Amino acid sequence: MLYIYTKCSQEVNILKNDIIVHFGMGFLPEGNAVASRQQAISHMITECGYTPVLIGICKDVAFGEYKKEIHNDVVCYSVKYASSLLNKAFDSFSIKKTFLKIFEDVGIDRIKCFIMQDYQFNAMRKMKNVCHKNGIAFAADLMDWFTP
């Protein structure tokens, strides 16, 4: 579960040009429940004084590529939707390169946090390492939980 507090301190609101990127398996702008959740999180990010950038999925994009659009004044990127088991395996190894392309397009020096929602562990681990190397905070937004 991800908690973002919308009552941000004055100190945080000074950073209006800094970016928080949120990735989820949403068909943006609002093609499924995940996309609606991403839109809601983008509103909270804006209330905290940051610029939201959303990354979702799309069936019409090739692996390693992305599509960029603007929806409701929010920059949205879409990456390939991995529909088969083989595609998911390939995606877990190639997603890092795609995200790095998007980070460069956004301006990697402006990204303060990358939130990755319910995704494959290998890809999350790789992106955590990328974020660490670039001084970007990493957050995992997980909606499932398990009991021992």
Side-chain angles (χ1 to χ4, degrees):
M1 178 155 298
L2 175 72
Y3 295 97
I4 298 178
Y5 297 98
T6 58
K7 301 279 184 186
C8 297
S9 69
Q10 187 65 26
E11 184 177 329
V12 172
N13 285 328
I14 293 170
L15 305 172
K16 291 187 180 187
N17 291 326
D18 290 335
I19 294 170
I20 295 179
V21 178
H22 185 279
F23 168 72
M25 298 293 286
F27 291 98
L28 298 170
E30 291 183 21
N32 59 4
V34 174
S36 295
R37 178 180 169 89
Q38 286 183 276
Q39 292 289 338
I41 288 173
S42 77
H43 292 295
M44 290 187 278
I45 290 169
T46 301
E47 287 180 16
C48 289
Y50 292 91
T51 301
V53 171
L54 302 179
I55 304 175
I57 56 173
C58 179
K59 294 179 181 179
D60 302 330
V61 177
F63 279 109
E65 300 298 320
Y66 63 84
K67 178 172 67 171
K68 181 179 178 180
E69 301 174 311
I70 297 176
H71 299 288
N72 301 324
D73 296 325
V74 176
V75 177
C76 299
Y77 292 85
S78 295
V79 297
K80 177 69 176 171
Y81 171 65
S83 56
S84 71
L85 187 58
L86 181 61
N87 285 345
K88 288 179 183 177
F90 179 74
D91 187 46
S92 73
F93 292 104
S94 68
I95 197 76
K96 175 181 159 184
K97 291 178 184 178
T98 308
F99 282 152
L100 282 172
K101 288 180 188 177
I102 293 172
F103 282 12
E104 290 299 324
D105 190 56
V106 168
I108 198 163
D109 57 320
R110 294 181 56 212
I111 301 172
K112 297 301 171 198
C113 182
F114 178 64
I115 304 167
M116 200 164 189
Q117 179 182 339
D118 284 328
Y119 204 65
Q120 303 162 15
F121 174 76
N122 270 346
M124 285 186 134
R125 185 175 43 97
K126 288 178 184 181
M127 288 311 300
K128 179 184 163 283
N129 293 339
V130 166
C131 290
H132 179 73
K133 288 178 186 175
N134 289 285
I136 300 169
F138 177 86
D141 179 6
L142 304 174
M143 293 184 286
D144 293 332
W145 60 90
F146 304 92
T147 57

